[in-house]
Amino acid sequence: MRKLAQYRRNAHPNSGFKEKVAWQLSKGPRTGRELSAFFHMTLGEFNGLMRGCLRGKTVVIEASEPVPVDGCIDYTYTLIRTRRIVSSHPETMIVSRRSFAERGAIGARPHHYHPSR
């Protein structure tokens, strides 16, 4: 499994759960039983966590009609889409020596600057 970003690592056992589910569903639709076995949890625990994952706009996951299996409800989960986050106001940042000089950042030395020291 791929390494998670540093800011997403914490002590919670289900850290990054929605991303891990989306990664598994990117390979194709899976049943709750298959995914719960992958995450080493019961089907009931998995369904409880997935209730929160079905909401949201960045990753859209759809569940099929419920199927009763061994006293639990099983769903087939499908990844509909993962949305790229795009800035609504894209601006190019141009940084050059000239732009710094125009702002006075280059060329102007602080009053306490001593080149001989």
Side-chain angles (χ1 to χ4, degrees):
M1 194 176 225
R2 64 183 165 184
K3 193 174 181 180
L4 288 176
Q6 180 68 34
Y7 64 92
R8 299 204 178 170
R9 292 184 212 154
N10 59 27
H12 195 272
N14 295 320
S15 176
F17 179 75
K18 191 170 184 177
E19 291 179 58
K20 292 174 190 172
V21 169
W23 182 56
Q24 288 297 315
L25 292 177
S26 69
K27 301 173 186 177
R30 305 268 172 124
T31 63
R33 182 171 291 256
E34 293 171 338
L35 291 169
S36 65
F38 177 80
F39 290 110
H40 306 290
M41 56 178 66
T42 66
L43 185 58
E45 292 171 340
F46 181 78
N47 286 338
L49 288 171
M50 280 303 291
R51 260 187 241 114
C53 293
L54 294 176
R55 296 183 297 255
K57 295 180 181 176
T58 307
V59 175
V60 179
I61 298 172
E62 184 180 77
S64 68
E65 293 298 317
V67 177
V69 176
D70 298 333
C72 284
I73 302 293
D74 197 4
Y75 299 91
T76 300
Y77 296 100
T78 308
L79 180 67
I80 302 299
R81 68 183 169 103
T82 56
R83 184 176 142 211
R84 279 188 172 214
I85 299 173
V86 179
S87 174
S88 59
H89 302 290
E91 297 177 8
T92 57
M93 180 183 271
I94 300 173
V95 179
S96 65
R97 290 186 63 82
R98 182 180 293 167
S99 66
F100 277 126
E102 288 171 358
R103 295 180 62 208
I106 294 180
R109 306 246 187 240
H111 66 278
H112 54 71
Y113 177 74
H114 299 286
S116 61
R117 291 187 191 179

